[in-house]
């Protein structure tokens, strides 16, 4: 461990570790029913769990012996009541820990160190490098797209308490901390009703207003101060995207009405933010020729915000013109006094416009095909025999569409919404600007027809070819889809009508790549390798057809879903991969953990900006040579075969359903989307990536984050290629990042929790296959890194994981105990109140476990 890491670890220990012990003791003084006794018993229970797992006991054994030894509770009701109190207490411990980490962020992270904007200066010491930087900044940007994938368990009230608690901790105000802990003791942690898509949108707009508005503005100000030349062009270096209210893939609750309502809320939220800033400006800009313009702007913002029925008569351009008028007056007549305040607001308006975040629309390709077939059947706009036509004939028919279809002919509500949502994009663009809604994403894209059916539906919804101001974005997810993506895009680029559309869209094509479903389909190594190769292929094809390609990465929180140290992935892309923009989804707890405070959001956004910029300046460092790429391919194939063997095991999915809380995901009321895309028997294709990865996480097996990696490395070792692997690890940032994130996934595993299943007559074989691969992967990764422990090079994160694991261990134990009880009752076909209580216990434990993990699903 170097001195810097050791120093940060010391700070972390003091600011988080010691303060957690101190403030946690305040919980025992909370004046609520039996809380004091609960706190003391929970401390004993944690030690009992640790001792029990060391002795090889099961969760059932541990809880039974604890109740017998430490309590006088003998009825089932008394015992489950105690377990519920443990859960409530542990949930609040997690909140306290989150607040402490948030409060310490600025001290435990080097805000001017590697990967920051301040550090960028040292990366461009020469005139040539500065010219390269200026060229890069002309059209480079990072787009963070907030999604509503159901992994955020905190209700908004608790998020507010975390925010206030962090501030009180920073100020060392013990009295305030104590009062917020009291509030926490009284505040419900779970939602009784399932949130609507609009509820999800409102929750994320809170982050836009309270975090991203400030942090993005600060970054742009830092860049402007550091590199004062006007090199940013007319685009924004940071852009925000938004999915709640627009993403209707597999979510029957998202309607056109929802989409329009969310767009309106986004517009209202950004105008409110500008209004607050303008009110602050009024206190400083009291000068002649400035104050009157500012007052006029304030009135316009006020009218658009608060006057009922007032016509939306404000545009981004008008706000920018008024701010520019003020800026020039300050420069020319008032010695530039407070001009920086006006410039700061200008940069925010440039970034957020009147839309705050671009609302993306997403739907599955199968829905578009159904809509086309119904339109063919019920109208004369496309041939009646559309369903029977070849792909080429269908495309030809779609390109002849010259008049709109009445959505009413589509009797199915889902299909009607498809046409109506496309028409709604035009409405949103009129009020929020084109940036407000200009992308349509197609899940499960497998052919050029999937894209051109959407193009045809836009024409059928009332758009004209010449004025279609929407980017059509195919999403390639499975390993098979990724491998055929190049052929699909080649066919599209060669289609004259689609090519004309691209010309109108600035000759730019955005392509989305899905890490989550790719990993679920092909395993960790194959998914990441396939996406890397697909990016290479699509970059080459796009250059060949003179198209600027932009990759939009569908990433989740954990490594198993494309998360982990995301910025390192972007820094590792070689010169043969297009890097005009970095676009990625930010979802679930990743929003609150990586972007939950102004400091953490600024730090992590700077890391992404830095990764993309320095990648452009030093691309040759990251590009894999032919031998390295061949080795990576061989590793991916071996890993894929190992994962496929497990995936095809007849008991694989049944094991997950049996041992984990998978079947209870839909009942947690954390997201508006169903856990499966289609009703019916459980199968891997229809099971969403969030519950799939999240269930492995709650089992503490994290299989999707490493399975197959160990067997692939072992094969290389046994065939005399270990030296090649070592060289690849030394030379390739991409490979090191892959294995680093793999280490993170393994660090969060705890196999003693489920070791009792190792001898199960049906599922023992699956458990042992997973455990053996974990041990194999761990052995080979540690051999490569030369470390004694996983994540040894990241001591602060290692300690954070360890401390969080101690908080969640009682929750994990209670959840497995409850699942065991449920299985026993099901074997006896007993539908009792006891079973319902245990099911509630399973669901409640999920809240604390996932919040404690922060990037578990």
């Amino acid at each position: 461990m170097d001195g810097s890491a050791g120093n940060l670890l010391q700070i972390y220990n003091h600011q988080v570790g010691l303060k957690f012990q101190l403030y946690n003791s305040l919980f025992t003084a909370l004046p609520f029913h039996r809380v004091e006794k609960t706190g003391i018993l929970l401390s004993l229970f944690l030690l009992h769990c640790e001792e029990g797992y060391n002795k090889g006991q099961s969760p059932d054994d541990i809880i039974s012996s604890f109740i017998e030894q430490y309590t006088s509770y003998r009825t089932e009701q008394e015992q489950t009541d105690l377990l519920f109190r443990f859960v409530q207490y542990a949930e609040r411990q997690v909140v306290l820990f989150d607040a402490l980490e948030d409060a310490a962020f600025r001290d435990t992270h080097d805000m001017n160190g590697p990967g920051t904007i301040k550090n960028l200066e040292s990366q461009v010491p020469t005139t040539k490098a500065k010219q390269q930087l200026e060229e890069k900044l002309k059209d480079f940007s990072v787009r963070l797209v907030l999604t509503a994938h159901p992994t955020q368990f905190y209700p908004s009230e608790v998020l507010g308490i975390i925010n206030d608690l962090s501030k009180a901790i920073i100020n060392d105000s013990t009295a305030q901390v104590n009062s917020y802990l009291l509030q926490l003791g009284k505040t419900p942690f779970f939602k009784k009703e399932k949130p609507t898509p609009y509820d999800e949108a409102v929750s994320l707009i809170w982050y836009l207003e309270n975090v991203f508005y400030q942090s993005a503005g600060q970054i742009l100000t830092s860049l402007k101060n550091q590199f004062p030349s006007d090199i940013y062009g007319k685009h924004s270096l940071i852009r925000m995207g938004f999915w709640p209210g627009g993403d209707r893939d597999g979510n029957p609750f998202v309607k056109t009405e929802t989409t329009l309502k969310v767009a309106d809320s986004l517009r209202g939220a950004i105008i409110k933010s500008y209004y607050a800033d303008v009110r602050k400006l009024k206190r400083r800009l009291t000068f002649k020729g400035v104050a009157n313009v500012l007052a006029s702007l304030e009135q316009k913002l006020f009218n658009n915000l608060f006057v009922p029925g007032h016509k939306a008569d404000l545009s981004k351009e008008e706000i920018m013109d008024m701010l520019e008028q003020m800026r020039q007056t300050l420069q020319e007549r008032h010695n530039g006094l407070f001009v920086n305040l006006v410039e700061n607001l200008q940069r925010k308006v440039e970034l957020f416009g009147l839309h705050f975040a671009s609302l993306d629309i997403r739907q599955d390709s199968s829905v578009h095909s159904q809509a086309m077939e119904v339109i063919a059947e019920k109208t004369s706009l496309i041939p009646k025999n559309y369903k029977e036509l070849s792909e080429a004939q269908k495309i030809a028919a779609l390109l002849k569409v010259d008049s709109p279809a009445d959505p009413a002919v589509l009797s199915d509500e889902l299909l009607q919404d498809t046409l109506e949502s496309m028409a709604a994009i035009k409405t949103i663009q009129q009020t929020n600007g084109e940036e407000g809604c200009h992308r349509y994403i197609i899940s499960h894209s497998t052919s050029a027809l999937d894209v051109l059916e959407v193009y045809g539906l836009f024409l059928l919804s009332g758009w004209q070819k010449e004025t279609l101001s929407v980017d059509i974005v195919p999403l390639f997810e499975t390993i098979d889809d990724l491998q055929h993506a190049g052929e699909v895009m080649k066919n599209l680029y060669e289609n004259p009508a689609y090519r004309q559309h691209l010309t109108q869209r600035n000759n730019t094509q955005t392509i989305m790549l899905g890490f989550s479903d790719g990993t679920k389909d092909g395993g960790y190594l194959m998914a990441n390798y396939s996406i890397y190769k697909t990016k290479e292929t699509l970059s080459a094809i796009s250059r060949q057809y003179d198209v600027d390609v932009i990759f939009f990465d569908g990433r989740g929180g954990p490594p198993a879903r494309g998360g982990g140290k995301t910025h390192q992935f972007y820094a590792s892309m070689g010169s043969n991969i297009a890097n005009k923009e970095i676009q990625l989804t930010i979802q679930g707890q990743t929003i609150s953990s990586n972007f939950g405070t102004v400091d953490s959001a600024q730090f992590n956004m700077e890391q992404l900006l830095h990764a993309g910029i320095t990648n452009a300046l030093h691309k040759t460092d990251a590009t894999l040579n032919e031998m390295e790429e061949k080795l990576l391919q061989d590793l991916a194939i071996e890993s894929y075969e190992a994962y496929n063997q497990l995936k095809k095991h007849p008991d694989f999915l049944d094991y997950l359903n049996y041992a984990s809380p998978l079947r209870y995901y839909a009942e947690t009321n954390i997201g508006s989307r169903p856990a499966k895309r289609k009703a019916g028997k459980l199968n891997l294709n229809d099971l969403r990536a969030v519950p799939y990865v999240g269930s492995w996480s709650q089992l503490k097996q994290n299989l999707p984050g490493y399975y197959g990696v160990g067997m692939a490395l072992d094969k290389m070792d046994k065939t005399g290629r270990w030296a090649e692997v070592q060289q690849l690890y030394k030379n390739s940032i991409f490979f090191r990042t892959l294995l680093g994130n793999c280490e993170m996934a393994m660090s969060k595993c705890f196999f003693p929790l489920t070791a009792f299943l190792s001898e199960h007559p049906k599922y023992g074989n699956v458990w042992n296959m997973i455990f053996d691969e974990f041990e194999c992967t761990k052995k080979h990764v540690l051999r490569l890194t030369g470390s004694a422990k996983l994540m040894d090079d990241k001591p602060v994160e290692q300690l954070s994981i360890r401390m969080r694991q101690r908080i969640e261990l009682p929750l994990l134990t209670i959840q497995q105990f409850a699942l065991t009880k449920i299985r026993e009752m099901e074997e006896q076909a007993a539908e009792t109140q006891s079973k319902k209580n245990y099911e509630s216990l399973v669901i409640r434990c999920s809240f604390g476990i996932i919040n404690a993990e922060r990037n578990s699903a």
Side-chain angles (χ1 to χ4, degrees), residues 718-737:
K718 285 175 177 168
T719 53
R721 301 181 68 185
W722 187 252
E724 289 178 55
V725 174
Q726 287 176 309
Q727 198 62 30
L728 180 66
Y729 184 78
K730 181 183 173 186
N731 294 341
S732 168
I733 310 171
F734 178 69
F735 188 54
R736 280 202 305 278
T737 303

Side-chain angles (χ1 to χ4, degrees), residues 41 59 110 126 162 178 244 354 436-437 503 539 587 656 751 807 852 856:
L41 281 174
D110 189 348
T126 65
I162 294 175
N178 196 36
L354 286 180
C437 188
T503 304
S539 298
Q587 51 188 259
L656 182 63
F751 278 88
I807 296 170
S856 61

